[in-house]
Amino acid sequence: MDFESKIISREISEILWETEKTVGTAESCTGGRIAEAIISVPGASKYFKGGIICYVNEIKENLLGVDPIVLEEKTAVCEEVAVAMVKGACKTLNTDYAISATGIAGPSGGTKEIPVGTIWLACGSPDRVVTMKVEEDHGRDINLAIATNKAMELFLGFLREENVPRPVYEG
């Protein structure tokens, strides 16, 4: 894991420790790399409950509750599936937050509509999910490294937004 990823993981760790919130992962193409990045920080067992590697649609449907009609009509590589994976992971793993990734890392499997390197990332809570689409093909290993790093950055940004102190108005 690169230095930048370790810094992001540590910042995520600090926020989750302070807020006493939990996180899990639902990973397809990244195959556990996001979970690995989270647990790289000592003490992660306080806030990381686990991850689901859902490489096939059957697991997305059965463990995460992804709608089979969406999978059939839009494929597994779409924003709707990434969002459903977050919500499903929060429910299945009983966590406050989850991070998901679904895409085509390559070198094959792409189509004209969904080329290799297309990866949808999502993170959030059952009530609020943010997404990001990665679209460049740099070869399988780099595609997966980029997706993992972007997912961690997305989650850190989400956590910072969620945990901004709100002004208290007294009237």
Side-chain angles (χ1 to χ4, degrees), residues 68-103:
I69 294 168
V70 173
L71 288 166
E72 187 179 321
E73 291 178 356
K74 295 198 168 193
T75 80
V77 185
C78 68
E79 185 175 31
E80 291 87 345
V81 169
V83 169
M85 288 168 63
V86 166
K87 292 179 178 187
C90 287
K91 182 178 180 182
T92 300
L93 299 169
N94 190 30
T95 59
D96 298 297
Y97 307 121
I99 307 167
S100 73
T102 183

Side-chain angles (χ1 to χ4, degrees), residues 97 135 146 148 157 163 171:
Y97 307 121
E135 296 186 87
I146 289 170
T148 300
N163 294 291

Side-chain angles (χ1 to χ4, degrees), residues 11-142:
E11 287 185 61
I12 288 170
S13 171
E14 288 170 6
I15 293 169
L16 293 174
W17 267 89
E18 288 170 13
T19 59
E20 298 184 352
K21 300 286 188 180
T22 57
V23 67
T25 58
E27 301 181 65
S28 186
C29 63
T30 50
R33 286 168 178 84
I34 297 168
E36 179 184 23
I38 292 169
I39 62 114
S40 70
V41 178
S45 60
K46 178 174 167 54
Y47 52 83
F48 181 72
K49 285 193 166 186
I52 297 169
I53 309 299
C54 48
Y55 224 61
V56 296
N57 289 349
E58 173 190 0
I59 303 303
K60 290 177 182 77
E61 292 173 29
N62 295 338
L63 291 182
L64 298 172
V66 176
D67 187 340
I69 294 168
V70 173
L71 288 166
E72 187 179 321
E73 291 178 356
K74 295 198 168 193
T75 80
V77 185
C78 68
E79 185 175 31
E80 291 87 345
V81 169
V83 169
M85 288 168 63
V86 166
K87 292 179 178 187
C90 287
K91 182 178 180 182
T92 300
L93 299 169
N94 190 30
T95 59
D96 298 297
Y97 307 121
I99 307 167
S100 73
T102 183
I104 303 169
S108 61
T111 64
K112 185 178 180 188
E113 296 78 24
I114 306 171
V116 169
T118 304
I119 301 172
W120 276 99
L121 307 169
C123 67
S125 64
D127 302 322
R128 180 174 168 256
V129 179
V130 295
T131 62
M132 171 188 285
K133 185 180 185 184
V134 178
E135 296 186 87
E136 293 180 24
D137 181 18
H138 301 281
R140 182 177 184 82
D141 291 341
I142 294 173

